[in-house]
Amino acid sequence: MTAEPLPPGATVGIVGGGQLGRMMALAASKIGLKSSIFAPDEDCPAFEVATFRHCAAYDDRAALERFAREADAVTYEFENVPAEALAIIEQHSHLAPNRRALEVSQNRLEERRFLAGLGLPCAPHAEIRGRNELEPAWSNLTAGQSDTLLFLKLARYGYDGKGQMRIGGAGDLAPARQWLGNEEALLERGVDFAYEFSMLCVRDQGGRMSCYDPPRNVHKGGILRESIVPAALPDDVLATAKDIAGEILAALDYVGVLAVEMFAERHNGGIRPIINEIAPRVHNSGHWTLDACPVSQFENHIRAVAGWPLGTTERHSDARMVNLLGEEALRWPSLLEENPSRSLTLYGKKDAVSGRKMGHFVELKPKP
Ligand code: AMP
């Protein structure tokens, strides 16, 4: 814990140089803090807006030490940072969220064990260690109904639907075996969901938690396309989802913003929330908070890391956020002309590679 709130002028270190790091650095700058980005890629989006830049590999011990010593507090913008890098950083600076939060969420098996330990709801699943364990687990989970949809997800480095494969029947087992090789993975039953949503919560150093209104999220091909608030969740579903998020944050002794991606599963004629995954960071489905809230997820995250009082998570408007993937971002002039009240954010990425998140826009409507 930082003993005192960091004063304006202090430096917040951010591990990772993507668009989330960029928006965190801008939020730090807004409240008079300096930002220092550690990233291996010279062209990364966050370097453009940072006060200090450390361009080095995540296993460069000396560079990590220099970065950590320069920062008064350090946070991270994605969960695939090696845990060893955080172990070095935490010796020299205050780290938030802590290393355990990263370790739990960067490995799908670890994450499921953690959630099961808390008794929290996830889809039925099995742990798989290499291709030979696939078929027995598939038989168990399909229980004689071989057309049951399953998802095979690599334990590590999965994001935006990458590192996963659908198994829709026995005919998919041979390609799945080959794809899996000797890797560790999670085999999970497909969820019959009405929609997806995410809880975006922030917790301060004293353990106080607050949640933004959850957005309803639309994915295509495993990639987030749109987030819409309000999600119009039934009250009991919202209350349960908040309790679930609260238990996760407390169990991790978490500081900062954390997202819990959830399925609204159809169940006995109603809806119940179950967890898809957790992300120990600000989240794509919370970008609308920049426009629809007095205090955005990025500012609240930086405030929590810096030991500042949190701001409200209330919103003043309804919002729709649309991701711009690959070449869609090249249409920015017409996107703006079509609707001048759209708020556009571009991440400064050079190559509009297909499926790559290049920017987003937000449309607001007054709350009814
Ligand atoms: P993930 O990378 O695990 O977040 O998965 C990306 C997207 O794939 C999710 O947002 C869902 O749209 C879909 N998906 C993943 N797991 C399941 C599941 N068990 N049942 C249904 N859809 C899923």
Side-chain angles (χ1 to χ4, degrees):
M1 182 151 169
T2 55
E4 294 288 327
L6 298 184
T11 298
V12 175
I14 300 166
V15 185
Q19 64 269 20
L20 299 179
R22 177 178 171 115
M23 288 184 269
M24 279 189 202
L26 291 169
S29 166
K30 171 180 177 286
I31 55 175
L33 295 166
K34 295 188 169 70
S35 61
S36 174
I37 299 286
F38 189 103
D41 173 9
E42 267 182 24
D43 285 335
C44 69
F47 275 165
E48 265 179 30
V49 304
T51 322
F52 307 112
R53 297 162 197 82
H54 293 257
C55 188
Y58 290 127
D59 61 359
D60 184 336
R61 185 178 190 102
L64 286 164
E65 285 178 349
R66 269 197 307 278
F67 162 76
R69 286 209 186 92
E70 178 187 278
D72 298 291
V74 173
T75 187
Y76 46 93
E77 63 116 42
F78 78 134
E79 57 272 33
N80 289 328
V81 175
E84 299 76 34
L86 296 192
I88 294 167
I89 289 169
E90 70 190 7
Q91 288 170 24
H92 304 282
S93 192
H94 163 73
L95 177 71
N98 59 38
R99 180 154 52 99
R100 167 113 177 102
L102 177 109
E103 285 168 343
V104 162
S105 52
Q106 73 180 187
N107 183 310
R108 291 185 193 268
L109 305 183
E110 191 69 39
E111 184 174 287
R112 289 306 160 101
R113 282 183 223 132
F114 165 75
L115 296 171
L118 296 174
L120 297 178
C122 295
H125 60 274
E127 297 189 3
I128 312 264
R129 277 173 197 76
R131 63 171 88 81
N132 292 336
E133 292 187 12
L134 181 60
E135 198 156 341
W138 174 80
S139 298
N140 266 340
L141 283 169
T142 52
Q145 287 209 295
S146 65
D147 60 348
T148 308
L149 177 64
L150 300 184
F151 286 75
L152 180 62
K153 302 179 176 181
L154 295 181
R156 300 203 51 156
Y157 304 118
Y159 69 100
D160 286 351
K162 292 194 175 72
Q164 62 172 269
M165 196 178 157
R166 284 165 178 246
I167 303 184
D172 293 337
L173 284 174
R177 274 176 64 91
Q178 200 174 6
W179 178 78
L180 183 60
N182 290 323
E183 298 290 323
E184 290 195 325
L186 181 79
L187 185 65
E188 174 176 87
R189 187 126 21 104
V191 176
D192 175 23
F193 59 78
Y195 48 86
E196 296 181 73
F197 67 99
S198 46
M199 295 302 298
L200 306 163
C201 308
V202 58
R203 189 168 179 272
D204 72 9
Q205 296 185 2
R208 281 170 296 263
M209 180 185 93
S210 181
C211 299
Y212 290 93
D213 268 350
R216 188 180 282 221
N217 299 324
V218 181
H219 292 85
K220 282 194 193 130
I223 304 181
L224 182 69
R225 295 310 327 239
E226 290 194 17
S227 291
I228 297 150
V229 261
L233 296 180
D235 287 348
D236 61 322
V237 175
L238 180 59
T240 310
K242 264 191 191 155
D243 287 348
I244 289 173
E247 284 194 51
I248 294 171
L249 287 161
L252 292 172
D253 195 15
Y254 195 88
V255 172
V257 169
L258 176 135
V260 187
E261 295 180 30
M262 291 190 152
F263 298 120
E265 185 188 24
R266 293 194 181 90
H267 180 70
N268 288 345
I271 293 288
R272 67 174 177 186
I274 68 170
I275 303 167
N276 176 22
E277 61 181 3
I278 58 182
R281 53 174 167 80
V282 290
H283 197 255
N284 190 171
S285 67
H287 288 357
W288 55 273
T289 62
L290 277 169
D291 304 284
C293 300
V295 185
S296 73
Q297 63 164 351
F298 301 101
E299 180 171 343
N300 257 332
H301 181 77
I302 296 292
R303 287 200 203 185
V305 171
W308 285 29
L310 295 184
T312 178
T313 50
E314 299 272 301
R315 67 190 162 82
H316 48 69
S317 304
D318 291 350
R320 169 173 173 254
M321 186 278 318
V322 178
N323 270 340
L324 297 173
L325 304 181
E327 296 201 337
E328 290 166 7
L330 305 179
R331 284 189 55 228
W332 61 268
S334 50
L335 287 168
L336 294 181
E337 270 161 22
E338 274 159 35
N339 181 349
S341 59
R342 264 180 195 155
S343 159
L344 177 75
T345 303
L346 294 175
Y347 307 147
K349 295 182 184 176
K350 289 203 180 73
D351 301 321
V353 178
S354 156
R356 190 176 195 206
K357 290 174 181 165
M358 302 294 293
H360 67 265
F361 66 78
V362 174
E363 293 169 353
L364 298 182
K365 264 203 310 206
K367 249 165 89 171

